[in-house]
């Protein structure tokens, strides 16, 4: 492995590179803000001040109050805390939870665990674009429903769900609503009052902050039974000495990410459409997965007939281009993506899929190189595919 090789990085949904200015702040915090934010002495209070200002920055980006932000270790912990924490807190009220077929395992696995503990879980399906129908949620709700968890934008095809509409209905019914905004935060608007959500998960490494830091928004008045018990940090919802350098990095990433968000969305989607249109023109037996317009700016997801996405990923890697054949978690299991099969793709079509996810630092020059290299790889792989006989 050549660690000095310059990669074309098109896998931003898996993780983003840490921006130098964010790495600089995090590094500085390790050295200068080493105090324990719970201690009354000066180093502790310096860390506390930084923690408080970072919390305010994240709360502002969500249109929330600082007390409604709980720092966690990332998206998985935020999702687990939202689901397991409210399920336990509200179990006397009911035992029914609704979710969708296309959620991330960080949502599906705690729900599977709850189903073994006696909760009833309803998983609503999606249409061919990976979109949840709000009517399906309305129909699934019963008097026992205590929580609905629907992701804001999907990690495989980027489809943006009708969260405000679902949330409006759930608010009227006084049912808690959680959204996993790990893929959408700092890409599209995530004001909690516009989305009508009570709980919202974010993860730093999806918007240029380090891995291992995230947050859960918990609307005032929402009860959560903590998963980590200890010194009572994070308003008693998540004990453990705060990761001040990571949190300061998260706040800086939010500040950068929220700046010119609409303009960045436009620029990234222009590059995305250029890649999409060029590939659909250059390559035969290819299809574009996900919603034509209601999708994250940087997401392209294709299916190539007769070949495996995994083989394309490895060949592109040899050419210095990083893409994905699914989410990082499902890539290692070699199972077809559950999002794609829920959208009605066959296992073969799902196995032949490739996810290309762009960031604001990607250029047309990089796209052009990718467009030059990929058709040749597809043609080479098809020549050796037993399924291809043209
Ligand atoms: N939710 C979604 C939609 C994701 O894409 C991911 C990561 O890929 C997660 C949750 C988990 O986040 P983390 O890696 O920060 O635990």
């Amino acid at each position: 492995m050549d660690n000095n090789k310059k990669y074309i990085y098109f896998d931003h949904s898996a993780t983003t590179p840490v921006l130098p200015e964010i790495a600089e702040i995090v590094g500085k915090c390790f050295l200068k803000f080493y105090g324990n934010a719970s201690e009354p002495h000066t180093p502790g209070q310096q860390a506390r001040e930084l923690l408080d200002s970072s919390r305010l920055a994240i709360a502002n980006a969500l249109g929330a109050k600082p007390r409604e932000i709980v720092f966690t270790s990332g998206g998985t912990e935020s999702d687990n805390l939202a689901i397991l924490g409210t399920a336990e807190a509200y179990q006397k009220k009911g035992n029914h939870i609704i979710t969708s077929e296309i959620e991330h395992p960080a949502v599906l696995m705690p729900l599977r665990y709850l189903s073994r503990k006696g909760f009833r879980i309803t998983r609503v399906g999606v249409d061919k674009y990976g979109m949840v129908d709000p009517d399906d949620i309305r129909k699934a709700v019963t008097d026992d429903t205590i929580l609905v968890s629907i992701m804001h934008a999907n990690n495989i095809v980027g489809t943006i769900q009708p969260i405000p509409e679902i949330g409006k209905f759930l608010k009227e019914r006084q049912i808690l609503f959680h959204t996993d905004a790990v893929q959408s935060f700092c890409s599209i608007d995530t004001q909690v009052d516009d989305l009508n959500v009570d709980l919202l998960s974010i993860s730093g490494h999806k918007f240029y902050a380090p891995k291992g830091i995230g947050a859960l928004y918990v609307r005032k008045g929402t009860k959560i039974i903590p998963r980590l018990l200890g010194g009572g940090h994070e308003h008693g919802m998540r004990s453990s000495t705060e990761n001040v350098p990571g949190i300061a990095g998260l706040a800086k990433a939010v500040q950068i990410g929220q700046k010119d968000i609409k303009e960045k969305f436009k620029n990234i989607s222009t590059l995305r459409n250029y890649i999409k249109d060029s590939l659909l023109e250059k390559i035969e037996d290819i299809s574009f997965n996900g919603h034509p317009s209601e999708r994250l700016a940087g997401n392209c997801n294709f299916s190539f007939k007769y070949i495996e996405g995994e083989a394309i990923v490895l060949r592109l890697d040899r050419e210095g281009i990083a893409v994905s054949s699914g989410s990082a978690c499902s890539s290692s299991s070699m199972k077809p993506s559950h999002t794609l099969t829920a959208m009605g793709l066959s296992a073969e079509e799902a196995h032949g899929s490739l996810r290309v996810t762009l960031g604001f630092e990607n250029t047309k020059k990089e796209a052009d190189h990718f467009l030059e290299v990929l058709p040749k790889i597809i043609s080479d792989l098809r020549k050796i595919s037993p399924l291809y006989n043209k």
Side-chain angles (χ1 to χ4, degrees), residues 13-14 73-77 79 103-107 151 153-155 180-183 202-206 212-213 327-329 355:
S13 281
S73 63
T76 301
E77 190 190 332
D79 286 345
E103 300 298 313
H104 191 273
V107 164
M151 69 200 323
N154 179 262
N155 48 310
D180 174 339
V182 165
Q183 292 289 337
I202 66 170
S203 173
H205 74 99
K206 306 291 182 175
I213 186 71
S327 76
C329 333
R355 183 183 70 173

Side-chain angles (χ1 to χ4, degrees), residues 18 20-33 210 245-246 248-249:
V18 177
E21 53 268 55
I22 295 171
E24 198 186 314
I25 284 194
V26 175
K28 197 173 129 197
C29 286
F30 278 125
L31 302 175
K32 282 198 148 185
F33 295 88

Side-chain angles (χ1 to χ4, degrees), residues 61-72:
L62 290 165
K65 295 175 199 76
R67 256 199 89 80
E68 295 174 313
I69 304 301
V70 177
F71 289 114
T72 66

